[in-house]
Amino acid sequence: MVEIDPWGVADIEDYTRLFEEFGISPFKELLDRIEKPHPYMRRGIIVGHRGYEEVLRAMREQNKFAVMSGFMPSGRIHLGGKMVMDEIIWHQRMGGDAFACIADMESHSVRGVSWKECREIGLNEYILSLVALGFDPEKGHIYFQSENKKLRDLAFELGTEANFSEISAIYGFSGDVSISHMTSVLVQNADILQPQILEYGGPKPVVIPVGVDQDPHIRLTRDIASRMRMFRVEQRLDNNQKPYISIREKQAGKEALDEVARRIESPKKVYEMHIDVFGIEESEIDRTMREIEEIVRAVEMEYGGYGFFLPAATYHRFVQGLTGGKMSSSVPESYIALTEPPEEAARKVKQAKTGGRVTVEEQKSLGGLPGECTVYELLMSHLIDEDAHVKEIFEECKTGKRTCKSCKSEAAELMFSFIKRHQEEREMAKEVLKKHELYKQWFR
Ligand code: SF4
């Protein structure tokens, strides 16, 4: 049995394996660098990240950065989707330019949902809840993929750097997969890179909050973003183990390479296809690397390139279904929708799988298993603000002071109030959107 803490997870070993296999870094290593981390960060609900340091640096230095994630309009908005929305909203409040995509092209091509349904589900389930939870539509961007011409143009362009075999290998596509389904993968890549196009202020660090199972999309997009670059900038060691920086021209041409050389003041040697910058102190290498990357990016933009930063990601852990096992949109008992009657949501909490023992006596003597309890997960992830209160529940459960009956009643009441309040806020969100120039056509 793996030892867990109030923010731990029962299947932590699975995550460790996942991290080792795919090179995801544990998120907790960054916690000290975040001034006011979101509860998902403090409580280990966000378990991992890829490249988030760059976003953090931008946040701390008040430089521009963005956050984006998407929602497939094929079912109801549930607590799993709320998690992503909360993360987008937190980054927006931290100063990020925020993008929320309704992935209707994906829903239509992958799940066969009609355009009309995509539209209705997108508006009435996802967009209203997003704004009700606190997304600022004045400052941020909400869009349907199918209505975004720039996005589709970018997807086409990205397609020049992706081929059939690699996409088939990543997504397990066989010969009978439709071309539209394959295209929707490129549209998702474009969703992720779109915040960096000129229309939105050009290249910047971008974070994509997603579930850990979405990592293949992130890795593919990072690969494509890197292939779209005109230069490759790398740190290397010479024969004496001294660091130097190599800038290799991939598709920019000699004139652009010479322009990069002209702007770099450090000692350097210019070759036909690359530049080596040397004489850098080890303590200065990261700073110099960033300066050179900025020079290269500026030249690349002048020569018609995109200058993409590799997109970063935060990964939240798997959300358990209320009935145990995976949450599934085809099993309504396994999830709580933000749009279902509050009484129904409370009922589901009362029937959810717990980590309690078979009898009250056993519970008192052995204590419960909060790490395996879906009710505890609801309390920790969505229903309780103060960390001290969550810790208290954890301790009381572990030591047998708490019974599942009273615990479920508390969680059910909190869920009832949360869903009721959220639905009132959804009505207010509709009024806000109706008055907004960009969005009023959606809610006539
Ligand atoms: S007491 Fe609460 S947290 Fe503990 S197992 Fe029962 S329902 Fe879950």
Side-chain angles (χ1 to χ4, degrees):
M1 176 66 197
V2 184
E3 201 48 47
I4 58 164
D5 60 35
W7 319 136
V9 285
D11 51 358
I12 194 89
E13 279 181 339
D14 292 345
Y15 289 110
T16 310
R17 211 167 44 238
L18 204 70
F19 291 176
E20 279 166 9
E21 201 170 323
F22 296 109
I24 295 175
S25 308
F27 193 84
K28 64 177 182 216
E29 290 172 6
L30 299 179
L31 263 187
D32 292 349
R33 295 193 231 163
I34 308 172
E35 209 176 314
K36 285 188 192 143
H38 189 280
Y40 294 158
M41 297 170 173
R42 296 198 306 266
R43 298 177 185 180
I45 293 163
I46 295 176
V47 274
H49 77 96
R50 200 184 271 286
Y52 192 63
E53 296 92 341
E54 214 151 23
V55 177
L56 266 187
R57 186 179 306 115
M59 209 183 287
R60 287 165 69 98
E61 295 174 1
Q62 302 197 335
N63 290 330
K64 58 184 183 179
F65 71 96
V67 55
M68 98 70 48
S69 204
F71 305 93
M72 181 152 71
S74 64
R76 303 182 79 173
I77 167 71
H78 53 59
L79 292 171
K82 170 186 174 280
M83 214 174 245
V84 174
M85 290 180 179
D86 286 338
E87 290 175 62
I88 295 177
I89 293 162
W90 184 85
H91 283 95
Q92 186 180 40
R93 289 181 180 159
M94 291 294 124
D97 197 9
F99 294 74
C101 153
I102 302 299
D104 58 343
M105 290 174 79
E106 187 187 357
S107 186
H108 184 68
S109 62
V110 179
R111 300 269 169 92
V113 180
S114 72
W115 292 113
K116 187 167 174 284
E117 276 180 289
C118 283
R119 180 84 172 185
E120 282 168 10
I121 298 171
L123 293 178
N124 297 321
E125 292 284 327
Y126 290 87
I127 294 176
L128 288 184
S129 277
L130 177 72
V131 176
L133 288 168
F135 185 94
D136 183 344
E138 282 288 331
K139 293 188 184 149
H141 318 267
I142 309 172
Y143 64 92
F144 283 82
Q145 288 174 327
S146 63
E147 290 179 357
N148 188 331
K149 181 173 181 315
K150 285 210 159 24
L151 177 85
R152 297 195 324 253
D153 290 349
L154 179 59
F156 185 82
E157 198 63 39
L158 300 181
T160 61
E161 292 293 344
N163 68 46
F164 177 81
S165 312
E166 71 173 338
I167 293 199
S168 302
I170 292 170
Y171 295 95
F173 290 162
S174 53
D176 59 354
V177 166
S178 74
I179 304 293
S180 297
H181 187 162
M182 295 197 88
T183 309
S184 78
V185 171
L186 289 169
V187 176
Q188 277 185 61
N189 301 143
D191 284 321
I192 292 173
L193 294 172
Q194 182 186 231
Q196 301 195 58
I197 64 174
L198 275 181
E199 192 185 2
Y200 296 115
K204 60 179 82 63
V206 184
V207 57
I208 321 298
V210 283
V212 81
D213 55 322
Q214 300 294 306
D215 187 49
H217 298 310
I218 304 293
R219 276 184 285 137
L220 174 65
T221 315
R222 284 169 68 92
D223 277 355
I224 293 177
S226 156
R227 285 177 222 159
M228 298 294 287
R229 294 295 310 267
M230 291 177 159
F231 297 95
R232 184 192 302 279
V233 183
E234 284 173 326
Q235 275 184 39
R236 293 201 177 153
L237 292 175
D238 66 14
N239 292 340
N240 301 316
Q241 298 301 301
K242 286 215 163 232
Y244 72 100
I245 295 172
S246 156
I247 304 152
R248 185 161 292 277
E249 180 272 311
K250 296 196 304 169
Q251 43 182 308
K254 180 74 171 119
E255 188 187 309
L257 188 73
D258 289 342
E259 183 56 28
V260 170
R262 205 180 56 73
R263 296 186 195 186
I264 293 175
E265 288 172 0
S266 309
K268 60 191 170 277
K269 199 152 183 196
V270 184
Y271 298 89
E272 187 58 27
M273 300 270 296
H274 74 282
I275 306 166
D276 288 340
V277 182
F278 45 86
I280 311 162
E281 290 300 321
E282 204 149 341
S283 58
E284 290 294 298
I285 189 82
D286 286 344
R287 190 185 55 78
T288 312
M289 181 81 179
R290 282 203 296 279
E291 281 172 9
I292 288 180
E293 277 176 343
E294 275 316 297
I295 291 171
V296 166
R297 185 167 280 120
V299 172
E300 182 170 324
M301 303 281 293
E302 284 164 29
Y303 280 78
Y306 288 98
F308 289 135
F309 281 77
L310 298 190
T314 53
Y315 301 100
H316 54 252
R317 61 203 214 188
F318 298 114
V319 182
Q320 288 188 76
L322 294 178
T323 43
K326 262 191 98 175
M327 190 156 66
S328 161
S329 53
S330 56
V331 184
E333 288 299 310
S334 73
Y335 65 85
I336 289 175
L338 302 187
T339 47
E340 67 183 294
E343 299 77 12
E344 190 60 8
R347 184 192 62 76
K348 286 184 184 174
V349 174
K350 285 194 174 157
Q351 288 178 358
K353 175 190 162 281
T354 70
R357 305 288 176 176
V358 180
T359 63
V360 176
E361 287 68 38
E362 264 186 54
Q363 178 95 352
K364 281 186 180 159
S365 61
L366 298 171
L369 298 167
E372 293 175 20
C373 175
T374 61
V375 177
Y376 179 73
E377 188 167 304
L378 290 175
L379 289 164
M380 176 172 76
S381 304
H382 302 288
L383 300 175
I384 295 184
D385 289 338
E386 308 82 39
D387 288 354
H389 189 178
V390 182
K391 278 185 181 156
E392 187 184 302
I393 293 174
F394 181 83
E395 285 309 321
E396 286 182 2
C397 174
K398 287 284 279 183
T399 54
K401 276 193 201 146
R402 193 166 252 266
T403 64
C404 293
K405 192 162 179 258
S406 64
C407 196
K408 278 178 168 184
S409 294
E410 181 181 345
E413 263 176 50
L414 289 169
M415 185 60 78
F416 179 91
S417 309
F418 165 69
I419 297 284
K420 190 163 180 295
R421 195 178 59 246
H422 179 67
Q423 291 177 2
E424 287 159 8
E425 284 164 354
R426 281 169 50 89
E427 289 307 312
M428 294 194 278
K430 193 186 272 187
E431 293 312 308
V432 170
L433 290 167
K434 267 184 187 171
K435 288 187 196 125
H436 197 289
E437 203 41 51
L438 264 180
Y439 307 115
K440 66 182 180 193
Q441 21 104 21
W442 289 344
F443 294 98
R444 280 186 217 284

